[in-house]
Amino acid sequence: MTALLDVRDLKTHFFTRDGIAKAVDGVTFSVERGEILGLVGESGSGKSVTGFSLLGLVDPPGKVVSGEIVFDGADLVAGGEEAIRGLRGKRIAMIFQDPMMTLNPVLKIETQMVETVLAHADVSRTEALTRCREALLRVGISAPDERLASYPHQFSGGMRQRVAIAIALLHEPDLIIADEPTTALDVTIQAQILAEVQKLCAETGTALIWITHDLAVVSGLADRLAVMYAGRIVEEGPTSEIIANPLHPYTRGLIESVPHGKPHRSLLQQIKGMAPSLLNLPEGCSFRPRCPRADDACRRAQTLGTPLPGRHVRCVHPYIEG
Amino acid sequence: MAENNAPILQMKGVSKRFVKELDTAEKAARFFGSSIEEQIVHAVDGVDLAVQKGEVLGLVGESGCGKSTLGRMVAGLTTPSEGSIRFYGEDIASLKGDAARRAALQIQLVFQDPMSSLNPRLRVGEIVGEAPRVHKVVPRKDVDSYVDETLERVGLDPAMRKRYPHQFSGGQRARIGIARALAVNPSFIVCDESVAALDVSIQAQILNLFMRLREELDLTYLFISHDLGVVEHISDRIAVMYLGRVVEMGDAQALFAEPNHPYTQALLAELPTFEVKRRTYSTIKGEIPSPLNPPAGCHFHPRCPHAFARCSTERPRLTEIAPGRFSACHLNEQA
């Protein structure tokens, strides 16, 4: 069986006045049907731009310069805007960090949801409304009729994000791309959203790409993780294996940096320095200047290797015992 | 920590109400018999807290629980509607003139978003050097070397003093905000979500800086954050707030090991942690109620799995359930 989504050597560059920013620089990954992939990275690692590239949402001066995005057998890069438009919102949906950005503040929820249904399905308005009610019920919103007649500002943050998720679910997409959907929410509300998403993916068989900076959130949610640094995937593999035994020094540094579970008031292991500018990346491995294991071999260009079965790492000195 | 010493900061019955006044049309409507009321938000509602010298008190809670308002009152940016905040035994609000100025310098605030708390048109040297110059912390001729020293203390290269805030990364800006707070030699620092906007690897650097500075300068922190993992790590004691009230308080490790209040229990249960196994997120029911119209009795009772009749009528008091451990829950009296 072929993967639902196959991304090969994707490159999205931003042509700025100061030079070319290689936001995504040769990213390769795939997502199976029903699978949850966690795409993890810090700000500027290119994780969001990767998500935007999949849906053709990169605005100038940014541009997908090369690579393939094969969704269910069709190349979206070669197909251009037309190919993506037929899928966007129907077979691939997106959930953004800030639901206020997704929702139009001057339209009732009803107007926005019905519009989404009618954009891709030839049904009556009554039928469309029924689908909207069902979608709202599915994300745990009681009294959907009341909610449909409201405006976005009348909702709390968690409720808005539920509506955004409901809109993403309207056409029962094969793939949902979620870009930091719980970052702006409180812990208890985040847990509610995570629970809903987990349930929905299990019930409908929807594949999910969960983009986040928070390793702890995806560690309990995703089947596989892909860790990005400076526009490239540096480590990829099954979630449980990566969390238990990170091979790349950056992944290890990220996990060590999280205070939870570390001895009380101990100094945290920190990654020295800061992320490099995308305009001026170090040659070879981009993590080299911050890496405790770096030596001259790291100056050469790095490829994604497979030191252990199922584990892909872009590093010449991965943490492997023995 | 010396138990018999008086606390450096003592809050008694501190409340803060924000009132939205009626406009003329609404006043007129009320005059003719309409039932329009002034809207009152009880941001902070009768909080008693004490901070000992040299300790880190963590203040956690979700958005709208009043933790930031409490921090702003401690730092003197807003005054309590009721109650008193005593710093070294003196009521901050009643101080006048020189004494008020000295108290204000002693308590400094480090904000969440360095970009909106640093003047974009000032060079870093001016941002950090302004307060020591104006308040004559050091003689005017020594200000430059003093600024260099302060920058070095927070891990910034003094050669960068001529730069503007936008030329720095997020982590460096956080350091500038800390340097500015330290420049007037405070003894007490209120950190209001000071690491929330930073990436994980940078956050670890700044947390380490906070811990190092505490040792070096003998600082006391009120550390406000919504991130339980961060607060657990850095704090000696933790106070948990919900809708303007402190619901539980105690030693950081004891509180995490055995949360007493149902809200604290729920918060900790939802905390995402590294787990090798896939977990199922359970849900705490309902949303945080609006502080405009909080539920009667215990504010948490509509979401609480253990709520009984008394919870919806009577406000539970914060009582000591074990030495140094406080909780505001009626269940403790039942048992």
Side-chain angles (χ1 to χ4, degrees), chain B residues 116-129:
Chain B
S116 58
S117 59
L118 300 176
N119 188 335
R121 292 170 182 239
L122 290 187
R123 295 174 197 274
V124 169
E126 292 159 348
I127 291 173
V128 177

Side-chain angles (χ1 to χ4, degrees), chain A residues 119-136:
Chain A
H120 291 287
D122 187 19
V123 293
S124 72
R125 212 186 134 71
T126 333
E127 166 66 20
L129 264 174
T130 316
R131 286 198 195 178
C132 296
R133 274 190 216 103
E134 281 167 6
L136 287 175

